[in-house]
Amino acid sequence: MRGKRFGTGLSLAAGALAACGLAFAPTAAAVDPGTATVNADCGSYGGGDATLTATQSGTSATITLQTSSVTAPVSLGQDSLVSELTMVKADGGTVTFKGTKNPAMSTGDALEVGPLSGTVAPGDSLEAYGGTLKVTAFGFITITCTATAPQAPGPFVFD
């Protein structure tokens, strides 16, 4: 009988500790909206709609960009592009997201870069319109894109 009470006590203690751990665990921060569309002009490389997807964990944020309007001019290896996305803050200034993450792409595949990493503050409202995306391949081919209108449904607002 004593062993049974001891086992029950341990189970209750473990359950209480797990509940406390959940109560004090950091919550995932949210960004709203999580996905937005922007129309971009990439000069001689083309242009059109691009989808931006944002995530956030505390003050760290990532943005992934995908567009079928700009395609890979040649086959590109995974993580071979150097990308820099500069977004405009609603209260002035900019935030830059950088990285070398991209999937492998064959000639003609849709361009995808990211996740690109950056730092945000609670309440930051970031818009692609007024900013730029620079993607460099092989160290010397640079594509620069600029948004032609505000992103829809609106700017990314970080918690």
Side-chain angles (χ1 to χ4, degrees):
M1 184 66 96
R2 185 172 188 198
K4 187 174 182 181
R5 278 189 286 179
F6 183 71
T8 302
L10 280 178
S11 295
L12 289 172
L17 284 174
C20 286
L22 287 174
F24 293 109
T27 58
V31 55
D32 185 49
T35 302
T37 302
V38 66
N39 188 283
D41 177 5
C42 301
S44 61
Y45 292 97
D49 286 342
T51 301
L52 301 169
T53 304
T55 63
Q56 178 185 6
S57 178
T59 60
S60 297
T62 64
I63 295 183
T64 301
L65 181 138
Q66 185 174 30
T67 180
S68 58
S69 300
V70 177
T71 59
V74 295
S75 292
L76 300 166
Q78 181 178 345
D79 301 337
S80 63
L81 299 175
V82 177
S83 303
E84 185 175 293
L85 173 66
T86 301
M87 299 190 76
V88 177
K89 293 173 69 172
D91 62 357
T94 60
V95 174
T96 302
F97 294 83
K98 297 179 181 181
T100 57
K101 297 290 185 187
N102 63 274
M105 293 175 259
S106 297
T107 302
D109 282 355
L111 177 67
E112 181 176 343
V113 295
L116 307 177
S117 301
T119 302
V120 295
D124 273 355
S125 177
L126 303 181
E127 167 69 61
Y129 187 55
T132 60
L133 170 68
K134 291 183 182 179
V135 180
T136 303
F138 308 114
F140 64 91
I141 299 172
T142 300
I143 300 170
T144 301
C145 303
T146 56
T148 60
Q151 65 192 47
F156 293 121
V157 179
F158 295 87
D159 278 349

